[in-house]
Amino acid sequence: MNTVLTMEPAIHHFSIEGKPVACKKYGSGHINNTYKVTTDSGHSYILQRINKFVFTDPKAVMENVGAVTEYLRSRVSDPKETLNFILSDKGVYYHIDAEQEYWRCYEYADGVCLEAPESDKDFYESAIAFGRFQQMLAQFPAETLHETIPMFHNTVNRYCMFRDALEADRVGRAAGVAEEIRFIMDREDEAGTIVRALDAGELPLRVTHNDTKLNNVLLDKTTRKALCVLDLDTVMPGSSLYDYGDSIRFGAATAAEDEEDLSKMSLDLHLFRVYTGGYLKACPGLLDKELELLAMGAKIITLELAVRFLTDYLDGDRYFKCNYPTHNLVRARTQLKLVADMEEKWEQMQRIVTEEAANR
Ligand code: ADP
Ligand code: GN1
Ligand code: MG
């Protein structure tokens, strides 16, 4: 994946140190086009083309990201603990090229970015990073943030979009996924639990990250301590339950998000406990109702991701990057298998949350 490319010309519009000499595709994000650029003075940068299909207002994204990183910078002890964006020749945090594509550039942080935890400590540290992030943004003025993707984690609306895609059946794939559709529809009522509780004012609306996968956090190379939270594109008002849950969905799973052998996919209860303990420690302000629904957060976000992957499959793979034609279907199936396993382990998940909450 890290192939050497010719230099992306957008880099010349940012005030970087040295002359850019190498440019490689980088990382395994599903949304933006990411490159690592190195210069002759030994500096490295991340250069990204923002996905305009996903983020229809890239300026609003960069206003959010700029405001959040500036706010965090005034609260962290070391500038490496937050992303450091580079100004363009127009004095803003983005560059618009001749094709009206938006680019941004920020300092490459020399750390470890994992697809799966290599030890309990790695996963614990990611919980500390996301928990601390949540805690640091507790007083951030939420009303100043743009809703960069409207109703991003509104699971009820995700079901509506799923129904629309099913009805439209743009590429004729609906007939082949009847079993998956049934599994999803059988859980529709439960999937709305968080949205209903937010609407009823029983759960607080917080400033949340909304994309808390393990590969969106950076660990220190030597100490393996949490260094920095990445991918701030979806920082918006939301629920802590989706943030906590998404980390579990991705990092406490025994297989990759796109594992084809479903027998390999389950919930690792030990890692579930590790993350829960770390998150509750780093984010002590969670309310009783949030604690009560924490395990539900993990189940609902996993279901939501299954719905989103299957919606995109039915829609002809326009949203998530895919490496082969059934990639989204494979992803949806692994998520559904994980939901089924969580149902098997439901009582144990609830007990672990209660125990870790009591041990805080
Ligand atoms: P996407 O929205 O496509 O997921 P990300 O912003 O998460 O894009 O970036 C993709 C990947 O690039 C990340 O998962 C991480 O591996 C790597 N990455 C992003 N920012 C940095 C950074 N500042 N330093 C080092 N690696 C980074
Ligand atoms: C996308 O950008 P990335 O790869 O970190 C997606 C998340 C999904 C995730 C599934 C803006 O995250 O919502 O949970 O894929 N980001 C957006 O892996 O839709
Ligand atoms: Mg990412």
Side-chain angles (χ1 to χ4, degrees):
M1 158 144 242
N2 294 345
T3 18
V4 181
L5 297 171
T6 48
M7 191 55 60
E8 286 293 339
I11 193 68
H12 302 300
H13 294 272
F14 291 96
S15 319
I16 59 170
E17 291 190 39
K19 180 177 173 289
V21 288
C23 178
K24 291 175 184 179
K25 278 202 163 177
Y26 196 75
S28 51
H30 294 342
I31 304 295
N32 298 304
N33 282 9
T34 304
Y35 306 88
K36 181 183 176 187
V37 174
T38 35
T39 72
D40 60 358
S41 60
H43 288 84
S44 300
Y45 297 91
I46 291 285
L47 177 70
Q48 271 179 331
R49 196 182 77 197
I50 302 177
N51 181 328
K52 278 203 302 185
F53 182 78
V54 170
F55 296 106
T56 51
D57 187 353
K59 258 185 219 159
V61 171
M62 290 318 293
E63 274 172 27
N64 278 3
V65 170
V68 169
T69 49
E70 279 161 21
Y71 182 90
L72 292 175
R73 193 161 313 115
S74 65
R75 275 160 184 77
V76 294
S77 46
D78 181 338
K80 284 195 184 125
E81 289 171 38
T82 181
L83 295 179
N84 292 293
F85 282 85
I86 311 292
L87 288 172
S88 75
D89 45 16
K90 300 245 164 49
V92 287
Y93 286 137
Y94 55 85
H95 163 71
I96 310 173
D97 71 13
E99 275 83 48
Q100 297 300 304
E101 295 292 347
Y102 282 70
W103 295 81
R104 62 180 172 205
C105 178
Y106 47 106
E107 281 172 22
Y108 174 81
D110 200 14
V112 182
C113 191
L114 299 167
E115 292 302 316
E118 287 173 0
S119 69
D120 290 2
K121 183 171 164 17
D122 288 343
F123 200 39
Y124 181 81
E125 282 298 320
S126 74
I128 298 292
F130 284 124
R132 207 187 279 153
F133 182 85
Q134 164 75 101
Q135 199 68 25
M136 275 198 290
L137 290 176
Q139 303 305 322
F140 185 93
E143 68 286 355
T144 62
L145 287 174
H146 304 283
E147 205 180 346
T148 47
I149 303 180
M151 296 201 270
F152 188 57
H153 284 317
N154 182 316
T155 316
V156 173
N157 190 56
R158 291 290 177 186
Y159 265 79
C160 292
M161 291 163 82
F162 176 62
R163 268 209 190 81
D164 289 349
L166 202 52
E167 230 164 80
D169 197 14
R170 276 187 69 242
V171 285
R173 288 172 167 175
V177 291
E179 209 179 306
E180 288 77 11
I181 295 169
R182 199 171 319 111
F183 187 102
I184 285 170
M185 296 318 296
D186 282 350
R187 286 153 182 82
E188 183 170 19
D189 186 55
E190 190 175 53
T193 306
I194 299 175
V195 171
R196 285 192 297 270
L198 282 168
D199 287 349
E202 293 162 12
L203 280 174
L205 198 62
R206 302 180 183 275
V207 174
T208 47
H209 183 278
N210 295 307
D211 190 2
T212 53
K213 294 198 289 195
L214 184 65
N215 66 14
N216 283 333
V217 80
L218 210 69
L219 305 179
D220 186 280
K221 253 184 178 165
T222 16
T223 62
R224 287 279 181 146
K225 286 261 180 205
L227 197 61
C228 175
V229 167
L230 308 173
D231 204 348
L232 305 178
D233 295 338
T234 50
V235 176
M236 284 181 278
S239 169
S240 59
L241 300 180
Y242 287 111
D243 270 11
Y244 161 83
D246 207 21
S247 295
I248 297 295
R249 172 191 79 78
F250 192 83
T254 54
E257 190 180 72
D258 57 358
E259 171 60 57
E260 290 188 42
D261 179 354
L262 289 182
S263 71
K264 291 187 179 156
M265 182 48 116
S266 64
L267 177 74
D268 182 324
L269 281 174
H270 175 66
L271 286 176
F272 179 78
R273 184 185 285 283
V274 167
Y275 193 93
T276 306
Y279 193 73
L280 294 184
K281 184 161 179 245
C283 189
L286 294 191
L287 305 180
D288 286 350
K289 187 69 178 176
E290 289 172 297
L291 295 176
E292 181 194 318
L293 289 177
L294 216 51
M296 188 57 89
K299 179 173 173 186
I300 289 179
I301 191 78
T302 309
L303 197 50
E304 183 183 294
L305 260 297
V307 168
R308 290 179 62 195
F309 287 138
L310 200 59
T311 301
D312 200 31
Y313 177 71
L314 293 171
D315 200 32
D317 308 316
R318 297 197 287 178
Y319 188 99
F320 296 104
K321 280 188 192 162
C322 286
N323 300 335
Y324 53 94
T326 54
H327 206 164
N328 270 321
L329 176 59
V330 166
R331 289 170 175 147
R333 285 181 173 150
T334 62
Q335 303 308 296
L336 294 179
K337 173 71 198 304
L338 190 53
V339 170
D341 193 56
M342 286 179 183
E343 289 177 350
E344 296 271 311
K345 295 173 176 160
W346 191 243
E347 260 104 70
Q348 295 162 81
M349 288 170 71
Q350 295 279 42
R351 199 177 60 237
I352 290 171
V353 171
T354 310
E355 286 169 4
E356 292 303 316
N359 282 342
R360 272 185 297 171

